Amino acid sequence: MKHAISVLVENQPGVLSRVVGLFSGRGFNIESLSVAPTLDPSKSKMVITTSGNKQVLEQIKKQLNKLISVIKVVDYSEKSHVEREMILVKVKAREESRAEVLRIADIFRARVVDVSPTSYTLALTGDTGKLQGFIEILYPIGILDFIRTGTIVMEREMHGRRKLVS
Amino acid sequence: MKKITGAHAFIEAIRCEGVKHVFGYPGGAVLDIFDAILDAPDLQFILSRHEQGAVHAADGYARASGNVGVCLVTSGPGATNTVTGIATAYMDSIPIVIFTGQVSTHLIGNDAFQEADIVGITRPCTKHNYLVKDVNDLGRVIKEAFYIARTGRCGPVLVDLPKDVMNSLVNFKYPESVSMESYCPTYRGHLGQIKRIVGMVLKSKRPVIYAGGGVIHSNASDELFALAEKIRVPVTTTLMGLGAFPSGHELSLGMLGMHGTYAANMAVTETDCLIAIGARFDDRVTGKIDEFAPKAKIVHIDIDPTSISKNVKVDLPVVGDCKLVLKGMLDQLEDMKQEISELRNNSESWLARTDEWKKEKPLRYTQGDTIKPQYVIERIDEIAPDDTIVSTEVGQNQMWTAQFYRFKQPRLFLSSGGLGTMGYGFPAAIGAQVAFPDRTVVDIAGDGSIQMNIQELATAVQYNLPVKVMILNNGYLGMVRQWQALFYRHRYSHTCLSTSPDFVKLAQAYGASGLRVENPKDVDDAIREALATKGPVFVDFVVESEEDVCPIVPAGAPINNMLLV
């Protein structure tokens, strides 16, 4: 199972290298990674998606916590959360397929961010599954260029509603 | 406030940390600091002959004294030469702080002369490291470095000091406290867990304590002893735990693992409750991991959460300082007289069984016409004073020392356990001797490993550090030869050292004393003479050339599968 782990770190040079070095040195896997400063510019938040059995994940979390530059580690797979990635995809769009590409973009609520006589560049955000579906549909039409961000996550604020239900 | 240079601020900072001794080696990037050292007569600087020697010496100093060892070297090759020493300290959780010179900040990244990215290089083998780019950060960084090195699970911390930072001026005030949001080790064990552990131990029929280096680091030997005596539980220790429990005590099973005693390995295999204290289930201890302590519920006390359930699934973990957790257990046991006496009744037959194992297959060797290395170690143990500090190199000399020298107190045994660094013992002994100038310090070495840092003899002579180096000279890289004999059909590939130097003449050439012993009857006299000699001494014991360390558990086998002879 894929786990999205957020790592709050001190925003200092070399910290990313400590985190990534920990994964490579101990044979853990990074599937995707995103890093940016938080509202407090002295801190950064990373989200790492990784996989492994229970013991490996426990080690990943503990080893991350052990790094001196790491302030907090949260495994979002244990929580109800919102998850987003973004892709930019440049799709072949000649006469016969121009309308089709726009229709697909519309269905997925993607936005056209660049256009040329032979292509559209589409931006789409969503969870991994939605993005995967979008790519599969576009693939036969012809993908000219493609780039994808790492996953970002945020915990859902459900506590109030839970109380109402129970 | 008067402005001072970064170099003088550095001196002031380590002085505030209570540093009395610095091991190291000068060079271009640290000229400013070395100049400032001349103005600090209260700091004793010990010039090693290789940076690796300086780090091992700081490490030996730390292990023997319990204080943070300090090392200062230059940039580039000076810094890279420290890496083996740092990795050694990291694997064994030893508190040292390494200061490295660096090229000036405007040159960093330019492939400048003697530039190396030592912070990048040592990231995986330090507990933490720093590059100081602004002299105003110097005090805070040094304060944090010492704090991180000696708290929690101890370890090496490196601080990289660019040349221009050291010669710029600063209004210096050393901070009084450390404030780090991201670092807060757990010392007090969870009380509920401690109660559960006590309950589990009291219910067991065949408990065993498995104590590691953590007991020594947290100075918990007295509490360990009290616990073992109170509930009458036999104790086995790891290599790093030697001395945590007195060897030879009726409850002591000796060391466990690959070269452990028959009794210890059998007890761990049969126990129904294994109490791991400050130990980390290393592969040299567990052998085949699936068959380690197969009948046991496992309790694990450790200050480092990553150690718990890393190799072996633990039933009852508690994160905390060994000393405090053991105290907590003893407190719980205070009003449990009834339960304790039940446990003691139950475990009488278990103790009888462990005693039987001890009697049935003790560690042994047969002394013949040539000197047996084990005999030399037994004689050193017999003749040297009780508070003698013993370091070892790595290989057969290390394992025989672990087996045959009876360590009765903590901090008397210095050895590279985790990394297994040949060349560790001699500089570590030098460091220990600096910490304790009046005690006897012995390095038990092999003819192979002593040659890995033999240049440090010049250091020992220069500072009149009377370290006694006992070389068990068998003409081989003995441990590897033993494996080649047992598991590679006696094909001795590059393990024969037929052209070693004459160690007696070599010692004399350095201005030290040298002795050679070839006959078993001369062993005692040679040890006495060496111990009575004022300066450093090399004693070259010509020992049986193909003696094996036994028992040995073959790699990947369960630990009750021992080759006994």
Side-chain angles (χ1 to χ4, degrees), chain A residues 53-113:
Chain A
N53 61 30
K54 203 175 149 217
Q55 200 187 350
V56 168
L57 275 152
E58 194 181 317
Q59 269 298 310
I60 289 175
K61 285 178 257 175
K62 284 177 174 176
Q63 293 285 356
L64 282 169
N65 266 313
K66 192 174 164 182
L67 291 177
I68 307 288
S69 316
V70 168
I71 299 162
K72 195 175 180 195
V73 178
V74 180
D75 184 351
Y76 279 88
S77 56
E78 293 158 358
K79 298 172 181 295
S80 173
H81 66 278
V82 189
E83 176 184 319
R84 286 294 180 271
E85 293 170 34
M86 178 175 168
I87 54 171
L88 291 175
V89 57
K90 194 178 287 174
V91 194
K92 208 185 276 180
R94 297 190 184 278
E95 280 146 30
E96 67 280 8
S97 61
R98 283 185 88 81
E100 175 65 4
V101 170
L102 288 179
R103 255 199 307 278
I104 294 170
D106 195 39
I107 292 166
F108 280 88
R109 294 186 176 76
R111 283 183 301 125
V112 179
V113 292

Side-chain angles (χ1 to χ4, degrees), chain B residues 6-148:
Chain B
H8 280 98
F10 165 82
I11 301 284
E12 191 51 39
I14 62 172
R15 202 179 261 148
C16 290
E17 286 296 332
V19 174
K20 298 273 182 293
H21 301 95
V22 179
F23 302 87
Y25 205 96
V30 281
L31 277 166
D32 297 278
I33 303 176
F34 274 80
D35 191 60
I37 282 178
L38 285 185
D39 301 331
D42 54 321
L43 284 181
Q44 194 195 349
F45 187 84
I46 295 99
L47 173 71
S48 68
R49 293 304 187 272
H50 185 290
E51 288 87 351
Q52 186 188 349
V55 185
H56 289 326
D59 170 317
Y61 180 94
R63 289 188 208 225
S65 69
N67 298 324
V68 179
V70 177
C71 181
L72 169 66
V73 301
T74 192
S75 65
T80 56
N81 275 345
T82 63
V83 172
T84 303
I86 295 173
T88 303
Y90 185 62
M91 288 289 263
D92 291 343
S93 313
I94 306 304
I96 57 174
V97 177
I98 306 95
F99 294 98
T100 52
Q102 181 56 277
V103 300
S104 288
T105 45
H106 69 277
L107 289 172
I108 290 177
N110 282 11
D111 300 325
F113 176 64
Q114 293 198 328
E115 179 185 359
D117 174 16
I118 197 62
V119 169
I121 290 168
T122 58
R123 221 166 257 145
C125 62
T126 49
K127 187 171 169 187
H128 196 54
N129 58 19
Y130 294 91
L131 167 64
V132 183
K133 281 188 161 173
D134 181 342
V135 71
N136 294 303
D137 293 334
L138 187 66
R140 176 186 58 83
V141 167
I142 294 177
K143 184 85 190 171
E144 287 182 7
F146 277 85
Y147 177 71
I148 291 169

Side-chain angles (χ1 to χ4, degrees), chain B residues 262-263 349-362:
Chain B
Y262 179 76
S349 63
W350 170 235
L351 284 174
R353 216 165 141 202
T354 58
D355 277 343
E356 233 165 75
W357 283 323
K358 282 198 241 180
K359 284 192 200 103
E360 200 184 323
K361 287 174 178 135

Side-chain angles (χ1 to χ4, degrees), chain B residues 214-245:
Chain B
V215 175
I216 292 174
H217 295 321
S218 78
N219 299 314
S221 304
D222 291 345
E223 288 76 9
L224 173 65
F225 189 81
L227 179 73
E229 289 251 291
K230 185 162 201 139
I231 55 177
R232 305 274 305 159
V233 178
V235 179
T236 176
T237 75
T238 66
L239 179 73
M240 301 314 298
L242 288 175
F245 191 80

Side-chain angles (χ1 to χ4, degrees), chain B residues 305-426:
Chain B
T306 66
S307 286
I308 287 166
S309 291
K310 180 173 69 179
N311 301 331
V312 169
K313 176 105 181 48
V314 172
D315 298 286
L316 258 185
V318 57
V319 175
D321 176 63
C322 293
K323 191 184 186 82
L324 294 178
V325 173
L326 286 172
K327 272 189 178 160
M329 288 175 72
L330 288 166
D331 287 347
Q332 292 300 315
L333 288 164
E334 263 315 295
D335 21 292
M336 294 184 133
K337 302 245 165 8
Q338 176 69 28
E339 290 90 337
I340 292 172
S341 77
E342 269 170 41
L343 172 69
R344 290 172 81 146
N345 286 339
N346 282 335
S347 61
E348 276 316 308
S349 63
W350 170 235
L351 284 174
R353 216 165 141 202
T354 58
D355 277 343
E356 233 165 75
W357 283 323
K358 282 198 241 180
K359 284 192 200 103
E360 200 184 323
K361 287 174 178 135
L363 294 168
R364 64 195 168 92
Y365 65 94
T366 323
Q367 178 56 56
D369 296 336
T370 51
I371 303 172
K372 284 294 177 81
Q374 301 95 323
Y375 176 70
V376 175
I377 290 163
E378 282 191 333
R379 296 315 300 159
I380 297 170
D381 182 18
E382 193 63 40
I383 295 166
D386 283 348
D387 63 352
T388 298
I389 298 168
V390 179
S391 72
T392 73
E393 305 292 337
V394 166
Q396 287 185 318
N397 61 80
Q398 178 187 34
M399 288 301 120
W400 283 319
T401 305
Q403 291 177 333
F404 290 93
Y405 199 101
R406 289 159 303 165
F407 292 95
K408 297 196 181 64
Q409 294 166 48
R411 299 196 184 278
L412 297 183
F413 174 64
L414 321 175
S415 193
S416 168
L419 197 67
T421 308
M422 286 173 72
Y424 168 80
F426 185 32

